[in-house]
Amino acid sequence: MERRNVQVGVVAFQGGIEEHILVGERLGVAVKRVLSLQDAKDLTHLIIPGGESTVIGHHMVSTGLDAFCEKQNEKGNLKLWGTCAGAILLGKKASPYSLDCIDVDLERNAYGRQMDSFSTLISVQGGEGNIPAVFIRAPRIVRVGKGVRILASYEGEPILCRNENVLISTFHPELTESSTMHEYFFSQF
Ligand code: GLN
């Protein structure tokens, strides 16, 4: 991976925290657990993991991390990536805790229940070959606004989008052997 001076954190209240830390380890990037404003202070990159968006969102509000993320992201000081529940929190409207950092509307649990979870291979714009993607009670991106680029789709619907400083994926790359998405976030954002 191209070396850059990134300081990476993962919001660590609930959900798939360790999995992101492990992918970071595979790439030689330390991923710090973030539970407070103090933890987030010097970060350049922050991941909001999958899990339960209501629980994660609630803790982000009570710690002030929600406003911090919005502000720092808007200034271009903090790159954000939300996987699944994290994507719900970075988009608009889908949750009472949605931060509105990227102009997309999402619908929660739109592929059905836990039992309807699935994994598939997807191709990412500009990437080489396919990468595995795991969907667990995933949201659907139902509207993509101006300034948002769709980087991957599944059955004709967007599943990976970005704007200048925000990346969202409705799937979980951290639950697979592939480090491609993390590499992309750490080196191209
Ligand atoms: N269904 C969860 C939510 O709405 C998201 C699931 C996930 O992150 N895998 O918050």
Side-chain angles (χ1 to χ4, degrees), residues 66-97:
D66 63 333
F68 174 84
C69 286
E70 268 174 316
K71 213 166 95 198
Q72 293 302 101
N73 185 252
E74 206 183 306
K75 285 192 200 156
N77 293 341
L78 181 67
K79 312 290 180 184
L80 296 169
W81 175 18
T83 53
C84 204
I88 292 169
L89 291 172
L90 289 175
K92 287 185 157 182
K93 288 193 232 164
S95 151
Y97 299 109

Side-chain angles (χ1 to χ4, degrees), residues 49-54 83-86 88 108-109 136-139 172:
E52 200 46 57
S53 51
T54 314
T83 53
C84 204
I88 292 169
R108 290 179 65 192
N109 303 319
I136 304 172
R137 289 186 306 122
H172 294 269

Side-chain angles (χ1 to χ4, degrees), residues 105-153:
D105 292 338
L106 300 104
E107 224 173 78
R108 290 179 65 192
N109 303 319
Y111 293 92
R113 300 158 66 94
Q114 189 83 18
M115 273 179 55
D116 303 310
S117 297
F118 61 100
S119 96
T120 186
L121 288 174
I122 61 163
S123 85
V124 175
Q125 203 188 78
E128 283 163 30
N130 290 339
I131 61 163
V134 177
F135 293 81
I136 304 172
R137 289 186 306 122
R140 272 197 156 92
I141 296 172
V142 293
R143 185 191 62 84
V144 173
K146 269 229 217 88
V148 177
R149 262 205 293 148
I150 299 170
L151 299 177
S153 299

